[in-house]
Amino acid sequence: MSYPLESVSRENNSRNAPASKHRKKTYKLLIFAWIMLVGMGLTGAYYYTNYLKAQLVDDLARQNQTQLHAIQSDYQMQLEDLKTNVNEDIVGLQDKVEQLNQLLAFTKDNASTKVDNSNQLYTQLAEVKKKLIELQKNLDVLK
């Protein structure tokens, strides 16, 4: 069985031609499917990353709001305590000023010409009034 060389080579080419076209189509289809899968994976990763980012931002905002509320309530409580303490101090100083005024009036009435202690009481009264004015300014600043 001897075949001419040309006829054998033509038969091989004609057999391989449809198979190579089929392979090319398969490769193109596989490459297209691979590109689609990679594209869908990248798109999914992008959307999932944005979803996680939004969730993280919401969680942080919630935590910050909770901490801010706690700090604000603590600050308000400290401010109220300070106001109460300043008011108590002012009331105490006002009582002392009244007592000094009474003592000063009594001393002034009973002062002899030899010894004048009223100057000391006026000095103490002036110091107490200065402290009272300073506390009043502090209270006004707190309001």
Side-chain angles (χ1 to χ4, degrees), residues 55-91:
Q55 216 175 22
L56 181 64
V57 167
D58 289 343
D59 288 344
L60 286 175
R62 216 175 302 117
Q63 288 175 0
N64 286 343
Q65 189 67 25
T66 303
Q67 289 175 351
L68 183 62
H69 181 66
I71 290 170
Q72 189 177 20
S73 64
D74 185 44
Y75 175 75
Q76 289 294 333
M77 193 167 59
Q78 287 178 357
L79 188 61
E80 289 299 321
D81 289 343
L82 186 59
K83 283 181 183 179
T84 304
N85 289 340
V86 167
N87 284 335
E88 289 173 359
D89 289 344
I90 287 174
V91 169

